Amino acid sequence: MSPEKMIRMANQIATFFESKKHDEAVAGTAAHISDFWEPRMRKQLFDHIASGGQGLKPLVVEASAKIRPVQAA
């Protein structure tokens, strides 16, 4: 998927959870991405964050520590 689309999707998830208490927002964002994004999408997100995370909401970056890691094949 294009980086722009991945960023937009991650930010939409974070926007939904922003109305919750901070800890709940972090956990909810991480859980949603872990549960509904396939490994390739999560890897793309992790790679983007590792290269600076440009365009991502801070909530997505913070939640990334709680997102299920991608297992090596």
Side-chain angles (χ1 to χ4, degrees):
M1 120 176 32
S2 74
E4 294 80 15
K5 184 173 182 180
M6 182 269 304
I7 291 166
R8 186 177 69 248
M9 289 174 62
N11 285 342
Q12 286 175 329
I13 294 164
T15 297
F16 174 82
F17 286 103
E18 283 176 338
S19 64
K20 310 283 186 188
K21 292 181 181 176
H22 182 74
D23 291 345
E24 189 178 342
V26 171
T29 300
H32 183 90
I33 292 172
S34 292
D35 292 345
F36 296 105
W37 282 30
E38 67 173 16
R40 289 179 298 179
M41 293 169 68
R42 294 195 318 270
K43 182 180 181 323
Q44 183 180 9
L45 177 63
F46 292 140
D47 290 347
H48 184 72
I49 290 169
S51 69
Q54 184 176 1
L56 289 171
K57 289 181 171 261
L59 181 56
V60 176
V61 176
E62 186 175 351
S64 69
K66 297 180 181 237
I67 296 171
R68 185 176 340 126
V70 177
Q71 302 299 319

